[in-house]
Amino acid sequence: MKYLSEYRNLEATKQYLDLIHKTATKTWNIMEICGGQTHGLVKNGIINLLPENVRMIHGPGCPVCVTPLNLIDKAVELLENGVIVCSFGDMVRVPGSKKSLLEAKANGGDLRILYSPLEAVNIAKQNPNKEVVFFAVGFETTAPANALSVLHAKKEEVKNYSILVSHVLVPPAMEGILGDEFCTIDAFLGAGHVCAIMGMKEYYPLVEKYKIPIVVTGFEPLDLVQGIYLAIQQLEKGEYKLENQYSRVVREEGNLEALKVIQSVFEVGDREWRGIGTIPDSGYVLKPAFRDYDAETKFGISSIATPENSECIAGQILKGIKKPHECPQFGKACNPSNPLGAPMVSSEGACAAYYHFSNHLN
Amino acid sequence: MNKKELGYDTINLGHGSGGLMTRELLDKIIFETFSNPYLDQKHDGSIIQIDGKMAISTDSFVVSPIFFKGGNIGDLAVNGTVNDVAMCGAQPEFLSLAFIVEEGLPIDDFVKIVETIKETADQSGVKIITGDTKVVERGKGDKIFINTTGFGKVHPKANISAKKINPGDKIIISGPIAQHGMAIMSQRDGLEFESSIESDTTNLNFLVGKLLDAFGDKIHLFRDPTRGGLASVLTEIAGDINLGINIIENQLPIDDQVAAACEMLGLDPLFVANEGIFVSIVDPTIESEMIELMQKDDKGQSAICIGEITKEHPNKVVMHSVIGGKRMVTPLLGEQLPRIC
């Protein structure tokens, strides 16, 4: 496959791994922001090929993991009240306080697993007597398609469609992590796909304010080792700048069309992050002109509040303060069949990635 | 046979009543299609002669959609059970066939499935010798469910058992992975995408017979990685033997289009279902000869060694990644679901 096989090349990956081994003289903690990167590192066994002094810390960039529990409860509530709920696949197994969407489906709820929110608008058109809600979770990457679905619904006067929004933004989360008193992170691998939409400009102020290298990085093995090498090069030289390893996909200005769509439908607002709490200006909310498409308002479910499981240390995992296997519940009370928190259930969650791919290697 | 001859467009509750309509459906479709000396007795069951060791396997088929690229539920119902019997080292001879039909299924669809079953059974050399047809109310089923049970004589040279697996044994796979699951996925509601991926559903009993003729008890295990894919079968095997399994990622045969579809949907091909391939664990001395023999057969053209049994990491499957890293392969948990990013 073009643009994939080249980035899974053994020789090229080895060369960069050698360079990392030669270049890293001190201990460096590098956080990969995106869950897709965590998955790539663990699935390809890269973590075990890095020198001991290069420590990868897994960031909060798994949309499923940071979606607060009460949002899942809200989606379940809708499903149990006869609403057709459409969702991306990996949200449906995440446990709410009482049940997951999949369990609500087993009890008779009409749950549809989709790839595109535009498909949900079609479902709304085909079922004019039913309400249809798309569970719009994700980072900046899924925001354009979710926004577009609202624009389509408005244009085509589809009144039985709305979205349950839980959009979060990467830069405020990075700032939240850097501001934590226990933060030990020396450099970031920036989330490639988020930057493909948003561009690079939001990251320059972070680099300057916290004097920290950020390397926007892709997801294939060669991308990851190249990104790590570029970060280490900066750290060893005492530099801090924003670099773009993923230039085949990420442009400085981002995807202007997608940005236009996002900005026409969403505005920045406070968002709750699972395990972390509410971060000001850290997510998207629907603009007042689109409030009719806000499922929380439409169905009066915004008051549902659910406390997190106190045994789950997802917050510390998501901030990189602890590694999954350092959690006393890891692989015991908490496992993929019986997850205490979302990082164990999402395929991109750090806990699930550790459990599935590397627990025997530790 | 078509709906005109039967006088109905769809299957209805009367066809499962046990009365005249059932009789008519059986006579005009089932008995006419599958006619053989066992079935023609139209008795409650069939009497067969058993000499020596027999293998028996049963399976139910509930695939949706019932028609897909490369086959339909009828192909699966025969090949699935035929292959399960073959994996025991036996040559399947007889099949039972039971339908649970949801009322409203077009007769033409039913006939098409029955004809496919006949064709597939003939190709595998098995006879349908007993069966059942039930009809459930609309909404109580999903178009059609099929159960088949297969019976067959164990090959005289076969000694298939996980207990015979030794360190150093080679793991050979007969063909490319993840074809069936991705063919189904490409036609599922909400996920449809354009592709020419076809299900790999096929019978493997003759190839298995040929291999047993040639290598006998040097073949220690056969398994077909259907639901849950290759990862689930390998982890099950590793769990049963007090040994470990190493597999090499870049040896895994996979079609480019299937790999691309998995990439796009965020699915791991190791967990995606197959319906026409098998894994065998064999004595290392026969590795190359066996692969050569398999590659000469239509059903084993892409046969390749994908790994071996090791004393290290007992009960675990470790994948050696394309870039030289290692990771553990774990069994599939629940249904494999498409990812967001």
Side-chain angles (χ1 to χ4, degrees):
Chain A
M1 262 173 289
K2 195 78 182 141
Y3 299 119
L4 277 185
S5 50
E6 302 90 322
Y7 294 90
R8 293 176 185 174
N9 181 288
L10 174 65
E11 287 312 312
T13 307
K14 262 193 180 156
Q15 273 175 19
Y16 277 97
L17 280 167
D18 284 348
L19 282 170
I20 292 169
H21 278 264
K22 280 180 198 146
T23 313
T25 60
K26 298 180 197 146
T27 295
W28 300 117
N29 293 328
I30 302 173
M31 174 178 271
E32 79 281 1
I33 287 291
C34 181
Q37 292 167 330
T38 306
H39 209 71
L41 286 171
V42 180
K43 186 176 169 189
N44 291 290
I46 293 172
I47 289 177
N48 299 297
L49 298 173
L50 292 172
E52 267 177 28
N53 54 332
V54 174
R55 299 181 54 213
M56 298 309 294
I57 309 226
H58 315 307
C62 158
V64 174
C65 305
V66 299
T67 299
L69 201 54
N70 70 65
L71 252 300
I72 297 162
D73 284 353
K74 285 170 185 166
V76 168
E77 168 94 8
L78 292 174
L79 208 47
E80 289 180 338
N81 283 295
V83 173
I84 300 178
V85 174
C86 306
S87 171
F88 294 123
D90 38 5
M91 268 325 286
V92 304
R93 229 179 353 230
V94 182
S97 64
K98 293 191 190 75
K99 61 183 78 154
S100 66
L101 287 172
L102 216 51
E103 285 164 320
K105 176 178 183 262
N107 292 339
D110 191 346
L111 173 72
R112 316 276 179 102
I113 295 169
L114 305 180
Y115 264 95
S116 161
L118 294 178
E119 184 58 32
V121 180
N122 285 334
I123 292 172
K125 279 200 264 181
Q126 289 154 10
N127 296 277
N129 301 323
K130 287 254 186 178
E131 286 292 331
V132 176
V133 171
F134 188 79
F135 197 0
V137 301
F139 282 88
E140 294 91 327
T141 37
T142 52
N146 291 340
L148 202 57
S149 76
V150 171
L151 288 178
H152 270 255
K154 185 158 192 170
K155 190 177 156 208
E156 296 177 27
E157 295 182 0
V158 182
K159 300 231 181 332
N160 58 330
Y161 176 73
S162 56
I163 61 176
L164 181 58
V165 188
S166 178
H167 266 300
V168 280
L169 303 171
V170 164
M174 288 169 75
E175 185 131 27
I177 289 163
L178 288 167
D180 192 290
E181 56 177 323
F182 298 107
C183 174
T184 56
I185 292 153
D186 300 307
F188 282 109
L189 301 187
H193 288 153
V194 169
C195 294
I197 304 286
M198 304 304 287
M200 311 263 288
K201 67 171 190 297
E202 299 174 293
Y203 296 87
Y204 291 105
L206 282 178
V207 168
E208 287 306 318
K209 184 173 170 189
Y210 294 96
K211 302 191 178 356
I212 189 161
I214 301 179
V215 182
V216 174
T217 303
F219 301 83
E220 296 305 321
L222 183 56
D223 290 322
L224 291 163
V225 292
Q226 237 173 13
I228 294 167
Y229 171 64
L230 291 172
I232 288 172
Q233 240 185 352
Q234 287 194 43
L235 290 168
E236 291 284 340
K237 285 186 198 159
E239 291 175 353
Y240 52 91
K241 58 187 177 187
L242 180 63
E243 279 187 281
N244 183 7
Q245 178 280 331
Y246 204 31
S247 58
R248 71 184 185 280
V249 173
V250 176
R251 280 177 293 170
E252 179 68 30
E253 70 281 13
N255 181 333
L256 295 176
E257 278 304 307
L259 283 169
K260 215 157 69 184
V261 172
I262 294 177
Q263 284 152 8
S264 64
V265 173
F266 292 123
E267 61 189 17
V268 171
D270 299 351
R271 270 280 163 214
E272 187 187 339
W273 294 59
R274 188 170 192 176
I276 296 178
T278 301
I279 306 178
D281 291 338
S282 67
Y284 284 135
V285 292
L286 283 161
K287 282 186 161 176
F290 294 96
R291 287 282 149 87
D292 290 349
Y293 297 91
D294 184 347
E296 291 204 49
T297 318
K298 191 172 185 177
F299 299 101
I301 48 171
S302 43
S303 60
I304 294 176
T306 324
E308 296 288 339
N309 186 319
S310 58
E311 287 179 320
C312 175
I313 61 161
Q316 287 165 287
I317 303 281
L318 295 171
K319 286 187 205 166
I321 295 166
K322 284 215 165 135
K323 292 220 168 194
H325 57 85
E326 289 164 6
C327 171
Q329 309 300 339
F330 178 80
K332 294 177 189 128
C334 183
N335 57 61
S337 310
N338 181 27
L340 293 181
M344 183 55 98
V345 70
S346 157
S347 58
E348 293 185 2
C351 299
Y354 264 65
Y355 186 91
H356 283 303
F357 296 137
S358 64
N359 64 8
H360 83 289
L361 298 167
N362 292 314
Chain B
M1 173 58 56
N2 59 42
K3 61 187 175 191
K4 274 182 201 144
E5 287 173 59
L6 207 68
Y8 296 94
D9 287 345
T10 56
I11 298 275
N12 64 47
L13 285 174
H15 288 118
S17 67
L20 268 182
M21 282 175 72
T22 308
R23 193 79 228 167
E24 205 177 33
L25 183 80
L26 292 180
D27 282 344
K28 291 193 173 164
I29 300 182
I30 306 287
F31 291 126
E32 191 182 286
T33 308
F34 297 115
S35 172
N36 63 53
Y38 298 93
L39 200 63
D40 292 349
Q41 301 201 10
K42 298 187 182 177
H43 196 52
D44 282 352
S46 276
I47 297 165
I48 50 173
Q49 179 83 34
I50 298 178
D51 296 314
K53 272 197 214 167
M54 296 283 286
I56 304 174
S57 182
T58 192
D59 212 339
S60 298
F61 300 85
V62 296
V63 67
S64 171
I66 55 174
F67 294 97
F68 45 83
K69 278 188 185 143
N72 65 49
I73 190 168
D75 294 89
L76 296 188
V78 176
N79 290 333
T81 298
V82 159
N83 292 343
D84 283 347
V85 173
M87 294 305 114
C88 302
Q91 198 54 246
E93 292 172 56
F94 304 115
L95 270 191
S96 74
L97 171 67
F99 296 105
I100 295 172
V101 186
E102 186 187 23
E103 70 175 323
L105 180 78
I107 291 278
D108 284 351
D109 284 358
F110 185 66
V111 170
K112 203 167 162 190
I113 291 165
V114 167
E115 282 169 352
T116 303
I117 291 173
K118 166 72 177 156
E119 231 169 85
T120 318
D122 286 349
Q123 283 162 7
S124 314
V126 293
K127 289 188 177 66
I128 312 286
I129 57 165
T130 186
D132 183 44
T133 306
K134 293 281 190 310
V135 180
V136 294
E137 285 170 53
R138 189 178 273 274
K140 300 265 172 77
D142 187 8
K143 296 188 178 77
I144 185 167
F145 299 149
I146 306 177
N147 172 275
T148 54
T149 301
F151 307 78
K153 259 190 213 166
V154 175
H155 192 286
K157 286 163 94 180
N159 186 5
I160 302 292
S161 164
K163 290 187 184 124
K164 291 185 59 213
I165 297 173
N166 294 312
D169 277 7
K170 298 291 176 185
I171 303 165
I172 296 170
I173 195 162
S174 66
I177 59 168
Q179 300 268 146
H180 175 72
M182 295 319 291
I184 297 290
M185 197 71 89
S186 73
Q187 286 174 258
R188 265 217 180 134
D189 277 352
L191 301 181
E192 296 104 332
F193 54 90
E194 282 294 317
S195 86
S196 57
I197 301 169
E198 289 195 356
S199 168
D200 60 347
T201 178
T202 193
N203 61 314
L204 301 164
N205 52 322
F206 296 122
L207 175 55
V208 162
K210 232 191 263 182
L211 295 174
L212 286 168
D213 286 342
F215 305 109
D217 64 358
K218 298 266 188 213
I219 298 171
H220 298 155
L221 198 72
F222 285 123
R223 289 291 297 273
D224 59 341
T226 52
R227 268 181 313 170
L230 182 62
S232 300
V233 156
L234 292 177
T235 50
E236 263 176 52
I237 297 171
D240 290 343
I241 57 178
N242 205 21
L243 297 166
I245 292 180
N246 279 327
I247 48 172
I248 315 292
E249 188 171 22
N250 61 9
Q251 293 285 91
L252 290 175
I254 182 163
D255 170 79
D256 278 350
Q257 211 185 140
V258 173
C262 286
E263 260 328 311
M264 193 175 80
L265 301 192
L267 301 176
D268 187 339
L270 273 185
F271 292 114
V272 177
N274 309 281
E275 288 292 342
I277 60 168
F278 62 95
V279 172
S280 45
I281 300 183
V282 305
D283 190 290
T285 55
I286 61 166
E287 177 195 350
S288 50
E289 233 183 305
M290 175 148 157
I291 291 174
E292 205 178 308
L293 185 62
M294 287 171 83
Q295 286 174 347
K296 283 184 193 149
D297 191 289
D298 272 1
K299 313 275 165 88
Q301 280 175 4
S302 329
I304 187 169
C305 177
I306 56 166
E308 63 179 19
I309 305 295
T310 170
K311 275 188 202 158
E312 290 162 30
H313 53 80
N315 303 120
K316 309 264 192 230
V317 180
V318 172
M319 164 99 96
H320 293 248
S321 80
V322 176
I323 55 125
K326 285 183 197 173
R327 67 150 157 134
M328 195 165 100
V329 177
T330 50
L332 178 62
L333 180 99
E335 197 183 351
Q336 190 169 218
L337 298 165
R339 291 163 45 207
I340 291 180
C341 296

